[in-house]
Amino acid sequence: AVRCSALEWSGCYRNEEIASSKWLDAHYDPVANLYTFSSCIALSDLHGDGENKLVVGDLGTGVCNVKLKVYRGTGVLSESTLLDLPTGLVSFLMDLHEPRTPAIAVASGPFIYVYKNLRPYFKFTLPSLEVNPLEQDVWSQAKEDMIDPMTLKEMLEGLRDKAEIPLSVRSLRFLMLEPQEMENFVLLHKEQPIRRQTVITCIGMLKKNMADEDAVSCLVIGTENGDVYILDPEAFTILYKMSLPSSPTLMDVTGQFDVEFRITVACRNGNIYILRRDSPKPKYCIELSSHPVGLVRMGKNVVVGCTHETLHGYTQKGKKLWTAYLPAPVTAMALMDLPTRGFQAVLVGLANCEVHMYRDKNLISTIKTPDVVTSICFGRYGREDGTLIMTTKGGGLIVKILKRTAVFDDRDSAPGPPIAQSIRLNVPKKTKLYVDQTLRERENAVAMHRAFQMDLSRLRLAAARAYVKALESSLTPMSASLTEPLKMNAVVQGLGPSFKLTLNIQNTASCRPVMNLAISFLYDENLYSMRTAFFKIPLLVPGLNYPIDTFVECLSDKGISDIIKVFVLREGKSAPLLTAHINMPVSEGLALN
């Protein structure tokens, strides 16, 4: 009740809340009619009263009802109509004036609309691009009626296929028209100057000179033609320009503009580029096996969600650290940051109506949702720090609050190898002795390989000789059949002159029994006598041990011993299946006599 009053929400907890859950179900509105993505949602203290509001760029139906909505608690505080679909939204402080209230920047088409105190404040327009001079010349001829619309179409098609500078939007629209519509289009537009305008694809925020939470921030925007601009927060002039090989789609910014910064950008060509202050071109490039759909920076590492249902971790220099395989495609990603607990994790929304929480490659928690999640935002909402806000594919709004007693285990809840397997070994630095040894091995590789092969051959020969000697002397009274899955070992008990001989026979097959076997003994009748020298073996069930006992009497009083040979035969066959030699001990009883 205390937590709910802090957000001024009444009756928001659901009766079916599970006690073991780490989250409180604060609010769920399945008909909120919110259609947005993670890039168009932010939490901000818009009035400077210490109570964060939820700011959403609502896409509506894609044609109408495109609005900028502000939520307070569970209700809509204000709405503002947007002229075009938003591609991104950020909250930033643009000056040091009191009261310290942040502004909202909404990227839409080639414009950035800046709102302050929920009112329109400034509109920034991207600079125009260079127009193809051949295209201008063609339209000038059309303006003076020197060419007809069909000739204009043929000339523009030739420019589109060969020109280095792309055509303007006017020319591209003209090429899409039917022949009967071309003349009216030319009459309508031939008097107007040609402009080539790009659009904003992603937007971010960069601290200007301090890392504090309430520091002044610059806007960072990525455009369709592959440029990245950093804007001044007060005059909205271009402070810095960088270029990319492809159009950016996702962006993550860290650092300060006046000190050092890194901009991690996922592009439409399937690669991730890392930009730094000292270079207008990408410093590092990460080539992915599939296109990225989510990008989150966690500490010094970058976590990327890809279309092939995988999650990858990279260093800020592009070295791959780990890969996690997901049960469904990624629909949304966001960072879960709890500075008060020193805890960070990555929230991944999946198409199977689940939200997975990853800490490095370990899955530490799973949240079930009633619909597919399309956007995720975690942070301070109202006066509650650990608030998770999600929107669904059907336009629903979900608000959950992290329990203060919630504890996340670092152990991976998904099946797979243990955590210790992913811990990097503390490999010592290369010493001078190691480098010298490496150089010696490179210079004498052939001779060292020959010496190794010679030593290996000698080792194999020594092992083979020892094995043959063991077989001949029967040092181990144990044998195995080459044709039948049988194993036998012998145990001799007693001091003499009487000995107990126990044979343990085992069928080592997986499921096939063995039958119709017999055991026969061959020995010197002048030295030994046996009560039973021939046995029939019962059916041998796989895996069981069958002991067979007999007694041996020593007849000599000279203190000598001999070998008793054991044969396992199949009934009706003379060739033995199994043979063992048993070294009998000296009969101490007769030797004393």
Side-chain angles (χ1 to χ4, degrees), residues 35-42 54-59 67-69 85-90 106-107 203 375-376:
Y35 302 95
T36 187
F37 301 104
S38 298
S39 59
C40 297
I41 187 169
L54 173 64
V55 186
V56 181
D58 187 7
L59 304 179
K67 296 181 179 181
L68 177 66
K69 295 183 178 181
L85 290 174
T87 56
L89 178 152
V90 292
V106 182
I203 186 170
S375 71
I376 302 175

Side-chain angles (χ1 to χ4, degrees), residues 14-15 26-27 70 104 175 190 202 210 260 264 270 273 282-284 297 310 373 391 407 409 443 486 497 580 588:
R14 309 174 78 182
N15 295 329
H27 177 67
V70 179
I104 300 297
L175 295 177
K190 68 180 182 179
C202 54
M210 297 177 65
E260 177 62 36
T264 307
Y273 299 95
K283 188 72 174 178
Y284 303 101
R297 174 180 287 273
T310 52
V373 172
T391 62
V407 177
D409 221 343
E443 294 172 357
L486 299 176
E588 296 183 4

Side-chain angles (χ1 to χ4, degrees), residues 196-263:
R196 194 164 70 89
Q197 188 75 50
T198 186
V199 295
I200 300 172
T201 56
C202 54
I203 186 170
M205 179 188 66
L206 172 64
K207 302 292 184 182
K208 193 169 190 309
N209 49 23
M210 297 177 65
D212 298 341
E213 187 176 351
D214 58 348
V216 175
S217 302
C218 304
L219 293 180
V220 183
I221 56 176
T223 62
E224 181 67 30
N225 65 319
D227 290 332
V228 176
Y229 297 101
I230 300 178
L231 306 182
D232 183 83
E234 293 184 332
F236 291 98
T237 56
I238 297 175
L239 296 176
Y240 202 69
K241 178 183 175 182
M242 292 168 281
S243 299
L244 294 168
S246 180
S247 301
T249 57
L250 302 167
M251 179 185 294
D252 186 274
V253 186
T254 184
Q256 297 96 45
F257 176 76
D258 293 340
V259 184
E260 177 62 36
F261 63 84
R262 292 176 187 267
I263 303 176

Side-chain angles (χ1 to χ4, degrees), residues 415-463:
I419 300 177
Q421 185 169 321
S422 60
I423 298 176
R424 300 179 64 182
L425 297 177
N426 187 17
V427 181
K429 294 183 179 180
K430 297 178 181 178
T431 61
K432 185 177 183 301
L433 178 62
Y434 171 83
V435 175
D436 295 342
Q437 184 72 6
T438 304
L439 294 175
R440 188 185 73 83
E441 291 178 359
R442 288 179 180 177
E443 294 172 357
N444 305 296
V446 176
M448 294 178 67
H449 179 70
R450 288 175 179 171
F452 168 75
Q453 292 294 334
M454 179 65 72
D455 293 341
L456 182 61
S457 300
R458 289 175 178 172
L459 179 62
R460 288 174 177 170
L461 179 60

Side-chain angles (χ1 to χ4, degrees), residues 362-396:
N362 303 317
L363 175 62
I364 59 177
S365 182
T366 301
I367 304 172
K368 300 285 185 179
T369 56
D371 196 1
V372 178
V373 172
T374 57
S375 71
I376 302 175
C377 183
F378 183 88
R380 181 182 177 86
Y381 186 32
R383 298 183 185 276
E384 191 61 48
D385 288 330
T387 306
L388 174 62
I389 300 173
M390 299 174 283
T391 62
T392 63
K393 187 177 180 181

Side-chain angles (χ1 to χ4, degrees), residues 512-554:
R512 182 169 61 89
V514 179
M515 60 186 72
N516 299 327
L517 298 182
I519 292 181
S520 177
F521 296 92
L522 180 62
Y523 56 92
D524 187 352
E525 295 182 355
N526 295 323
L527 289 177
Y528 301 105
S529 67
M530 300 184 69
R531 298 181 185 178
T532 308
F534 182 83
F535 294 93
K536 282 191 176 182
I537 302 176
L539 183 140
L540 300 180
V541 178
L544 297 181
N545 186 41
Y546 291 83
I548 297 175
D549 300 330
T550 185
F551 291 89
V552 180
E553 191 78 21
C554 182

